[in-house]
């Protein structure tokens, strides 16, 4: 990415000299989304981009309560088993077609369609049936009683007329020619992987910034420099080590962007020798997590699948501390013996093939430090860094790995079902514990907040005990935005939800 | 501890003659221009108290400032005042959380929490405890604490719920009035040391020297006297200080976060100018003190907290949030010299007021260690967060 730096800096200098007028708001992502289709959104960068282009029937207002967006309201049936949703008239898609109830019906059907394999399917499972009443009215029938269905109708609606059927593929042309009803339309995908979005002139609401550019800046070390050189207006996530510099800069505002994220090393639980809990625990005990975190920045080590401030975090579960002696006992019990520098079994050294994403912030630093720590304890580590497409293929689809280093981010529901239920879509490591499944199911079903807390704290304890992952840390996360951008309020998860209110001075 | 190290450097040389301040007489000027006055304060009053107060450890400071000397009593009142403010914010937040829980509970799938009305009634009675029957036996502990100004018994019970039931599920309900009572206790202690029964009568505070103003949001004794006379709520003391406004701050625009940020920018520019001037004019020891103790940063944060409290008192949570996010030193995640407990308490209150109860939990988290008694508030806020999310479908993504 160094090759891009100089022209961008030059661009910043020209802007300072007042050489241009209609300026875009430029924000940086570590990785440009390779496709723009809300049916297949798997990363935060995709979710943020989708927030600019697409809309749901309802969205969050500034107090995070549901408020109509493509809908004008809904009437919930007395038995709570159905609702009639009234749609906003006069809404057009970015290709000029009218938005209608057929689009809602299509979207739900496409998300539910098995062959679509949408990562968002879970978000419409509560809908049993969709009936189009007329162009602007749709009736939803639910699987069971719903008390506030508007809270679940935030999924992005897609234009039926742009697809040939409800069996949608990731490779469909829509991925690079997305059409939404949102405030911005994708104007072009640029050669440098940036994406230019232009204000949608027929948007059904007001928008104040004419153009937004998503820049891919793979080297996170450069992102803050670009902001300081005024070659960017927004950094979605600031590297913790850059926080002091950015806070001291008078041209930048920092905004907390805590997405309830935690880092982990996830094992492939059905692949030897990581199918043996003793091996997983031993590896956990051989890692000095504090030492891994220190160079990354300010954060807090977690003992399970929630961030420490979460109501579900089980503070009774103590984070594992390095313990080489206990690790040795566990490895010995699992049939390994230390011969020479390495632990081996059946003549084969214990080797961890660790896969990480090329562009995950500071992942390389973590992998190298982890490799060094484990190798000094007799474990071979073979790191592999994958690009986005390879990652999705290897990890998401084929689930072909020993261990992955990655990060999960959660909205305020902090629902870990997809990650830890044996049938969870994001349970790439094939973790399976019938008790955890039952607890997750009960937690989903209960309407008692204290019961839900208790159930998920138990999930925390049981998952931590099974060691399907080495739980690492949650980082303090901030966005940095130029002070030229006014009226900024960022959504705690989707970031751009209220960007139509933003102004660029 | 940094303060202790710096103290060794103080008093090793004499100050060159300064050209005279053109900015307000203040504790900042006093310490930086005349470090001998600072050293004198540390001789006359327990220095470990100032070390603790600088580290935002008001509990330790309170204990350290022990003695009948009026200056020591004023210093102790400062520590008690600080603790009173932290608990005042937390107390008010806990009551608001109970109210929100009651409202949300009525919409809950499966019916409202049957106990919520009694819990709400208790929370609404926290100020005078009349009608707080749901507190049961805890009620007498509250009354005793308020009468004796001794929080020990209340604090000993703080981690235990007032009610615990097992059917239909394990339910706990923590004392919503704990922090309100603790605020009463600490304010009472402060006022006793100031020979007053209310803040507007606390003229002894403004009669003091550096002990009345060091590390404070008010720049000098006049500022303090004016704010006491104005009968402002204690948390927003100095928020409207003419002395600070005279630094060149724009007028407040209520409810406008961008205007609040502009105010912060103006404050920063003014403090930069002031600091640079003092760096030239002050003796080396004073410059060392400023650099090592971050005196301007301290004043900045204290004043922004007062200013944010003012906004919060008027229900302007987003305005308060803009000020508080600017006040926070993001490089330090815990309570310490860079960030005060009051900052985190106010952040939690502002986030809650802005509808961000989950993020309010993030703000409360750093208080868990220095104030373990916030367990009950965290649990109830957690209940509310879960309650509000019950009808949602969760979303998670990589990275």
């Amino acid at each position: 990415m160094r090759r891009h730096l100089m022209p961008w800096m030059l661009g910043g200098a020209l802007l300072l000299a007042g050489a241009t007028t209609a300026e875009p708001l430029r924000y940086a992502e570590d990785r440009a989304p390779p496709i723009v289709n809300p049916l297949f959104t798997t990363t935060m960068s995709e979710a943020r981009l989708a927030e600019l282009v697409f809309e749901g029937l309802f969205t969050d207002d500034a107090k995070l309560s549901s408020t109509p967006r493509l809908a004008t309201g809904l009437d919930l049936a007395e038995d709570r088993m159905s609702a009639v949703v009234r749609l906003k008239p006069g809404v057009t898609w970015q290709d000029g077609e009218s938005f209608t109830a057929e689009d809602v019906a299509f979207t739900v059907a496409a998300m539910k369609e098995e062959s679509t394999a949408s990562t968002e399917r879970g978000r419409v499972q509560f809908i049993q049936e969709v009936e189009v009443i007329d162009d602007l009215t749709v009736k939803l029938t639910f699987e069971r009683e719903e008390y506030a269905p508007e809270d679940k109708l935030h999924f992005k609606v897609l234009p039926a007329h742009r697809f040939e059927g409800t069996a949608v593929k990731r490779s469909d042309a829509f991925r690079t020619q997305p059409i939404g009803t949102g405030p911005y339309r994708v104007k072009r995908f640029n050669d440098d992987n940036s994406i230019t979005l232009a204000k949608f002139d027929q948007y059904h609401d007001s928008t104040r910034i004419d153009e937004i550019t998503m820049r891919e800046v793979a080297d996170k070390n450069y992102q803050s420099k670009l902001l300081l050189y005024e070659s960017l207006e927004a950094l979605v996530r600031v590297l913790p080590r850059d926080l002091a510099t950015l806070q001291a800069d008078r041209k930048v505002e920092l905004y907390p962007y805590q997405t309830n994220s935690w880092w982990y090393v996830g094992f492939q639980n059905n692949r030897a020798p990581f199918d043996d809990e003793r091996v997983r625990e031993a590896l956990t005990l051989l890692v000095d997590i504090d030492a891994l975190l220190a160079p990354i920045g300010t954060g807090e080590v977690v003992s399970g699948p929630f961030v420490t401030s979460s109501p579900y975090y089980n503070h009774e579960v103590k984070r594992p501390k390095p313990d080489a002696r206990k690790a040795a006992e566990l490895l010995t019990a699992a049939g390994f013996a230390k011969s020479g520098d390495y632990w081996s079994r059946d003549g084969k050294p214990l080797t961890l093939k660790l896969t990480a994403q090329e562009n995950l912030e500071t992942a390389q630093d973590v992998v190298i430090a982890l490799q060094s720590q484990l190798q000094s304890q007799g474990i071979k580590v073979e790191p592999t860094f994958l690009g986005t497409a390879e990652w999705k293929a290897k990890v998401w689809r084929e689930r072909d790995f020993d261990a992955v280093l990655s990060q999960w981010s959660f909205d305020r529901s902090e629902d870990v079902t997809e990650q830890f239920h044996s049938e969870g879509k994001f349970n790439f490591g094939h973790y399976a514990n019938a008790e955890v499944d039952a607890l997750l199911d009960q937690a989903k079903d209960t309407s008692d907040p204290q019961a839900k807390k208790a159930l998920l704290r138990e999930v925390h304890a049981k998952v931590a005990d099974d060691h399907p992952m080495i739980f690492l840390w949650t980082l303090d996360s901030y966005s940095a935005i130029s002070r030229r951008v006014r009226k900024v309020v960022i959504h705690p998860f989707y970031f751009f939800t209220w960007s139509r209110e933003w102004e660029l001075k | 501890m940094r303060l202790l190290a710096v103290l060794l450097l103080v008093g090793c040389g004499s100050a060159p003659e300064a050209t005279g301040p053109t900015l307000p007489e203040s504790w900042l000027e006093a310490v930086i221009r005349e470090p001998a006055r600072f050293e004198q304060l540390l001789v006359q009053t327990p220095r470990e108290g100032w070390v603790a107060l600088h580290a935002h450890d008001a509990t330790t400071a309170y204990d350290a400032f022990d003695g009948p000397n009026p200056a020591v009593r004023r210093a102790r009142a400062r520590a008690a005042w600080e603790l009173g403010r932290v608990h005042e914010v937390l107390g008010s937040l806990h009551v608001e959380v109970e109210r929100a829980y009651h409202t949300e509970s009525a919409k809950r799938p499966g019916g409202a929490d049957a106990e919520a009305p009694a819990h709400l009634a208790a929370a609404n009675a926290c100020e005078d405890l009349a009608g707080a029957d749901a507190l049961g036996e805890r009620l007498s502990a509250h009354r005793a604490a308020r009468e004796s100004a001794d929080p020990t018994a209340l604090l000993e019970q703080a981690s235990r719920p007032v009610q615990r039931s097992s059917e239909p599920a394990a339910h706990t309900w923590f004392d919503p009035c704990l922090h309100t009572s603790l605020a009463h206790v600490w304010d009472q202690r402060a006022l006793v040391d100031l020979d007053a029964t209310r803040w507007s009568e606390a003229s002894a505070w403004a009669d003091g020297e550096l002990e009345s103003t060091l590390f404070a949001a008010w720049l000098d004794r006049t500022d303090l006297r004016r704010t006491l006379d104005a009968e402002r709520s204690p948390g927003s003391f100095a928020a409207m200080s003419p002395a600070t406004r005279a630094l060149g701050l724009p007028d407040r625009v209520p409810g406008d976060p961008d205007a609040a940020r502009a105010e912060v920018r103006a404050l920063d520019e003014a403090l930069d100018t002031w600091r640079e001037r003092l760096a030239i004019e002050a003796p080396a020891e004073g410059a060392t003190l400023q650099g090592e103790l971050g005196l301007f940063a301290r004043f900045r944060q204290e004043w922004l907290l007062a200013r944010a409290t003012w906004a919060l008192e008027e229900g302007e949570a987003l305005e308060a949030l803009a000020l508080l996010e600017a006040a926070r030193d993001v490089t330090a995640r815990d309570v310490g010299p860079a960030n005060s407990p009051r900052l985190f308490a106010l952040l939690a209150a502002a986030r809650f007021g802005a509808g961000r109860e989950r993020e309010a939990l993030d703000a409360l988290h750093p208080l868990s260690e220095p104030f373990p008694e916030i367990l009950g508030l965290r649990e109830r806020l957690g209940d509310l967060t879960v309650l509000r999310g019950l009808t949602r479908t969760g979303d998670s993504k990589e990275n």
Side-chain angles (χ1 to χ4, degrees), chain B residues 82-130:
Chain B
E82 186 63 43
L83 289 165
R85 304 290 64 71
V86 173
H87 288 295
E88 181 180 51
V89 176
L90 296 175
S92 166
L93 176 58
H94 203 144
V95 171
E96 291 302 321
V97 169
E98 283 292 348
R99 287 174 184 159
Y101 186 89
H102 180 264
T103 305
E104 286 294 324
S105 168
K107 299 183 246 171
R108 190 179 75 164
D113 182 341
E115 293 172 326
H119 296 162
L120 176 66
N124 281 336
C126 284
E127 200 48 50
D128 60 8
L129 299 174

Side-chain angles (χ1 to χ4, degrees), chain A residues 31 41-48 59-60 62-66 120 122-124 126 146-149 151-152 154 237 240 243-245 247 250 253-256 258-261 264 298-300 307-312 315 357 360 391-392 395-396 406-415 418-419 426 428 443-444 446-454 457 474-476 478 483 485-494 498, chain B residues 101 104-111 113 115 119 163 165 167-174 256-262 264-273 275 300 315 317-318 321-322 324-334 339 344 347 351-366 368-369 375-376 378-399:
Chain A
R31 282 182 297 176
T41 303
T42 59
T43 66
M44 290 303 297
S45 65
E46 291 167 338
R48 284 186 284 265
T59 187
D60 282 330
K63 290 203 162 192
L64 299 176
S65 295
S66 293
E120 303 286 295
R123 303 183 71 178
V124 291
F126 74 104
E146 292 292 336
Y147 283 75
D151 284 350
K152 293 181 177 167
H154 289 219
R237 268 200 177 130
L243 280 172
T245 307
Q247 186 166 43
R250 295 288 156 75
E253 294 281 356
L254 293 176
Y255 297 84
Q258 290 297 121
T259 48
N260 303 316
S261 306
Y264 67 96
T298 51
E300 193 168 6
V307 298
T308 44
S309 60
S310 167
Y312 306 128
H315 292 273
Q357 295 165 76
L360 176 62
W391 175 270
K392 287 203 171 170
V395 177
W396 282 69
S406 192
Q407 178 183 218
W408 282 116
S409 294
F410 298 83
D411 71 359
R412 63 197 166 111
S413 298
E414 296 179 83
D415 184 353
E418 300 292 5
Q419 283 77 12
F426 306 155
F428 312 133
K444 198 171 269 274
T446 185
S447 60
D448 181 333
Q450 293 212 18
K452 183 164 183 166
K453 260 186 354 185
R457 286 176 184 179
T474 175
L475 293 178
D476 291 347
Y478 285 86
R483 283 183 169 172
V485 189
R486 304 287 170 84
K487 301 196 185 302
V488 174
V489 184
I490 61 175
H491 188 280
F493 190 72
Y494 297 108
W498 308 303
Chain B
Y101 186 89
E104 286 294 324
S105 168
K107 299 183 246 171
R108 190 179 75 164
D113 182 341
E115 293 172 326
H119 296 162
Q163 288 177 7
S165 57
E167 291 297 330
H171 276 198
T172 55
W173 180 63
F174 286 86
D256 184 341
D258 279 336
R261 291 186 189 106
V264 177
R265 282 196 289 279
L267 176 68
D268 286 340
E269 282 165 20
L271 294 181
D272 280 352
T273 308
R275 184 174 50 231
R300 177 184 183 275
L318 289 175
L321 209 44
L324 293 165
E325 298 294 2
R328 181 178 187 173
D329 181 340
V330 298
T331 61
R333 70 191 323 264
D334 296 319
N339 289 313
F344 292 111
L347 257 181
R351 288 177 180 178
F352 180 81
R356 312 290 182 85
E357 68 275 1
R358 176 62 189 86
E359 290 161 296
L361 273 174
D362 290 334
L364 285 183
H365 186 61
S368 299
E369 200 175 312
L375 174 69
R378 285 182 58 194
E379 287 294 330
R380 198 52 161 173
L381 187 52
D383 292 344
L384 176 64
T385 304
V386 177
L387 183 58
R388 279 198 69 188
L390 281 177
T391 49
R392 296 246 168 183
T393 309
D395 197 357
S396 56
K397 301 278 182 277
E398 267 195 322
N399 305 330

Side-chain angles (χ1 to χ4, degrees), chain A residues 162-182:
Chain A
R162 303 291 291 199
F163 297 88
E164 289 177 4
T166 54
V168 178
K169 295 190 185 69
R170 283 176 60 86
S171 55
D172 283 353
F174 190 81
R175 76 193 193 284
T176 53
Q177 298 156 28
I179 297 293
T181 58

Side-chain angles (χ1 to χ4, degrees), chain A residues 16-225:
Chain A
L16 281 173
T20 183
T21 50
E23 298 171 47
L25 181 147
R26 297 160 297 179
Y27 76 98
E29 292 279 10
D30 303 351
R31 282 182 297 176
I35 69 167
V36 185
N37 185 338
L39 290 178
F40 304 108
T41 303
T42 59
T43 66
M44 290 303 297
S45 65
E46 291 167 338
R48 284 186 284 265
L49 191 65
E51 200 67 7
L52 293 165
V53 179
F54 301 94
E55 295 177 303
L57 294 172
F58 288 80
T59 187
D60 282 330
D61 67 12
K63 290 203 162 192
L64 299 176
S65 295
S66 293
T67 188
R69 182 103 298 254
L70 288 174
T72 57
L74 63 76
D75 298 314
L76 185 59
E78 208 165 303
D79 64 1
R80 302 181 187 276
M81 290 299 294
S82 66
V84 172
V85 183
R86 301 178 302 280
L87 306 183
K88 193 171 183 177
V91 174
T92 57
W93 292 99
Q94 291 158 358
D95 61 1
E97 293 287 323
S98 293
F99 160 71
T100 71
E102 293 291 349
D103 297 312
V104 179
F106 163 77
T107 302
V108 174
M111 288 170 91
K112 288 173 81 100
E113 170 72 47
E114 284 283 334
S115 59
T116 299
S118 170
T119 52
E120 303 286 295
R121 191 192 309 162
R123 303 183 71 178
V124 291
Q125 294 294 59
F126 74 104
I127 301 174
Q128 187 184 77
E129 192 182 344
V130 183
E131 183 187 348
V132 173
I133 307 288
D134 60 39
D135 275 359
L136 294 176
T137 317
V138 64
K139 181 182 177 186
L140 307 176
T141 305
F142 308 128
E143 292 286 347
R144 58 184 189 178
E145 288 183 12
E146 292 292 336
Y147 283 75
E150 64 273 22
D151 284 350
K152 293 181 177 167
L153 294 172
H154 289 219
F155 57 85
K156 305 300 183 198
V157 180
L158 292 170
H161 65 278
R162 303 291 291 199
F163 297 88
E164 289 177 4
T166 54
V168 178
K169 295 190 185 69
R170 283 176 60 86
S171 55
D172 283 353
F174 190 81
R175 76 193 193 284
T176 53
Q177 298 156 28
I179 297 293
T181 58
Y184 293 92
R185 61 183 173 80
V186 173
K187 190 172 167 185
R188 61 179 176 271
F189 290 84
N190 304 304
D191 292 342
D192 62 357
N193 280 353
S194 65
I195 300 175
T196 304
L197 300 121
K199 179 175 165 177
F200 173 36
D201 290 332
Q202 281 78 50
Y203 185 53
H204 58 95
D205 202 342
S206 60
T207 310
R208 293 170 182 172
I209 295 175
D210 287 341
E211 194 168 292
I212 294 181
T213 302
M214 191 286 308
R215 298 271 198 196
E216 181 184 82
V217 185
D219 188 339
K220 210 150 174 66
N221 293 311
Y222 282 123
Q223 291 186 359
S224 62
K225 292 186 177 70

Side-chain angles (χ1 to χ4, degrees), chain A residues 381-439:
Chain A
V381 177
E382 295 176 0
T384 308
F385 293 95
L386 300 180
T388 306
E390 292 168 287
W391 175 270
K392 287 203 171 170
K394 276 273 181 198
V395 177
W396 282 69
R397 289 198 290 278
E398 297 160 24
R399 305 187 175 195
D400 178 14
F401 59 86
D402 280 357
V404 289
L405 169 71
S406 192
Q407 178 183 218
W408 282 116
S409 294
F410 298 83
D411 71 359
R412 63 197 166 111
S413 298
E414 296 179 83
D415 184 353
V416 297
T417 307
E418 300 292 5
Q419 283 77 12
F420 294 100
H421 197 287
S422 57
E423 293 176 6
K425 287 196 304 296
F426 306 155
N427 183 358
F428 312 133
H430 294 99
Y431 170 66
N433 179 329
E435 286 180 279
V436 169
D437 284 356
L439 289 165

Side-chain angles (χ1 to χ4, degrees), chain A residues 447-493:
Chain A
S447 60
D448 181 333
Q450 293 212 18
K452 183 164 183 166
K453 260 186 354 185
L455 289 162
L456 290 175
R457 286 176 184 179
E458 208 175 332
V459 166
H460 179 151
K462 288 196 181 298
V463 167
D465 203 39
D466 287 340
H467 303 284
M469 297 174 170
I470 304 175
F471 294 101
L472 297 176
W473 51 69
T474 175
L475 293 178
D476 291 347
S477 184
Y478 285 86
S479 297
I481 299 180
S482 162
R483 283 183 169 172
R484 293 169 51 237
V485 189
R486 304 287 170 84
K487 301 196 185 302
V488 174
V489 184
I490 61 175
H491 188 280
F493 190 72

